[in-house]
Amino acid sequence: MTRPTRQMSRLILAALVGGVLVALGFACSGESDRREGSVTRITAPEDAIDESLMIALSQAKNFHHKARVYMSDGQLPLATTTVRQILAIPFPAGAPEAEDVQLDARAMLAKLLVAQGQVDAAMSIVDEGLAAATRESFFVANLYTVKGEVLQAQAELLVSTGQPADGDRAREVRKQAIVAFDKSIAINEALQKQILEGK
Amino acid sequence: MTRDDDTPSPMPAPDDVADAAEKARARAFGDLIDKVVAGRPPAAVPADERALLEVATVIRAATRPVELGAARTRSVVEAALATAIERKGGGSRLTDPSLPVAGVVPLARVRARRLAPWFIAGVTSAVAAAAVLVLVLRPAPSRDVEAAPPPVATHLRSRPADALIGVIARAPSLDVAGGATVSRIDTIYADRLAGFRERTLSGATRRRGSPGTKGGGP
């Protein structure tokens, strides 16, 4: 009675071990197949308008509207803070709209700072924007225009001191303002020509 | 005194020293045993010596194990098993060896049962090894072929807003500048939203509206 029982136990054990080995072998194979997935995959174009771009634009739009409300209420510091938040919006990498929207926000921010007498801070905002620009655009041209306005404001501040040296310095700043306005005009003309030729 | 004499020889005492005649008889009996053991028994043996000789043979067989050849051993075992089967089956089974006998397992089946686990383990291991080998040795599938994305219409792409906005005029006041800035971001957002809706909700088949249109509301 003992011998057949032992034989049967060996038989079952061998079948179990074999079954486990077979299952493992096919499981490895199946897992590999699943990992590799489909061979052909159609990718979405990276430059297509997507949800992340729309979210970023929506945020910028809301901040501008909010700042507009503050401005209409005369609360320029709050409007400034609100517009500054647009510069921190995460846009999709490489989205051209990101540069356009941020340049426009810098232009508005510089105007707000000038209106509050913070001319140097306004100039920093403008210069940072121009340095970060990767291409010429109407927004870059607008920022050069704002730069000219900031320089004009600087010149007026210098004149208001009444010092002769500041008068010379004011003339120099006005020349820089003219250079900035000219740069803006040149960019606008080039872009308009380019657009017209493209049509 | 000789063994041919009919007169019985006097029985010596156990502790007596053997005389020459007794030693000669013992030596002759020893030679006789050697011949019998060597397979060369004499043709005639006296009756009293034959009895002694049988006793000596029995004693030798009892003290030394009998070693049989392989063929002899097999035939003895087969004969014993046949006897057992015959007894179990009532004596008539040996006439037809193919008939199964209750409680008796043929040697071939016993051998098969003993080898069955190893056979199953071997087969399943071979199958598993084959599966692993197929996995390892099969040609690597071509990596994901990223099909070129279908061409996307310009108005469905992320792109510069210059063509949409145009030249930005200098604002005469902060208030006007604020209003113009809001108007620009509204225009950009509406245009991109129209493209996003067309692409995701209606597919890329619908044509865009006229260029003058700024798109739907947010």
Side-chain angles (χ1 to χ4, degrees), chain B residues 153 155-156 194-195 197-199 201-209:
Chain B
H155 67 282
L156 302 179
R197 281 178 174 162
E198 181 176 329
R199 184 170 171 271
L201 302 180
S202 307
T205 55
R206 210 177 73 190
R207 289 185 63 82
R208 195 185 185 195

Side-chain angles (χ1 to χ4, degrees), chain B:
Chain B
M1 187 173 69
T2 64
R3 293 290 300 169
D4 294 333
D5 296 341
D6 290 331
T7 56
S9 58
M11 183 69 68
D15 297 333
D16 285 353
V17 177
D19 58 3
E22 188 177 359
K23 288 180 180 176
R25 274 179 27 227
R27 194 159 32 245
F29 186 68
D31 292 341
L32 180 61
I33 289 176
D34 289 343
K35 288 178 182 175
V36 170
V37 169
R40 294 180 285 107
V45 179
D48 55 345
E49 287 191 353
R50 185 179 301 126
L52 287 174
L53 194 59
E54 287 177 357
V55 170
T57 305
V58 168
I59 291 172
R60 183 176 182 274
T63 55
R64 303 183 72 182
V66 178
E67 294 178 0
L68 299 175
R72 178 64 182 153
T73 303
R74 190 160 45 247
S75 66
V76 168
V77 170
E78 290 293 338
L81 288 174
T83 304
I85 291 169
E86 188 178 11
R87 285 177 185 163
K88 200 95 179 178
S92 62
R93 300 292 179 147
L94 284 181
T95 55
D96 188 0
S98 64
L99 293 175
V101 178
V104 177
V105 180
L107 285 176
R109 196 181 300 170
V110 170
R111 208 170 290 129
R113 278 187 185 175
R114 195 180 302 148
L115 292 178
W118 299 107
F119 178 74
I120 292 174
V123 168
T124 51
S125 299
V127 171
V132 172
L133 279 178
V134 167
L135 171 67
V136 172
L137 298 180
R138 70 179 172 179
S142 57
R143 299 305 304 163
D144 286 358
V145 178
E146 293 195 356
V152 177
T154 305
H155 67 282
L156 302 179
R157 290 187 201 154
S158 172
R159 61 196 188 280
D162 292 307
L164 183 67
I165 299 300
V167 175
I168 300 172
R170 184 180 175 186
S173 66
L174 182 65
D175 187 59
V176 173
T181 305
V182 168
S183 176
R184 283 194 292 275
I185 188 66
D186 283 351
T187 302
I188 295 171
Y189 178 80
D191 182 84
R192 299 302 187 263
L193 181 63
F196 177 71
R197 281 178 174 162
E198 181 176 329
R199 184 170 171 271
T200 58
L201 302 180
S202 307
T205 55
R206 210 177 73 190
R207 289 185 63 82
R208 195 185 185 195
S210 62
T213 321
K214 297 298 184 188

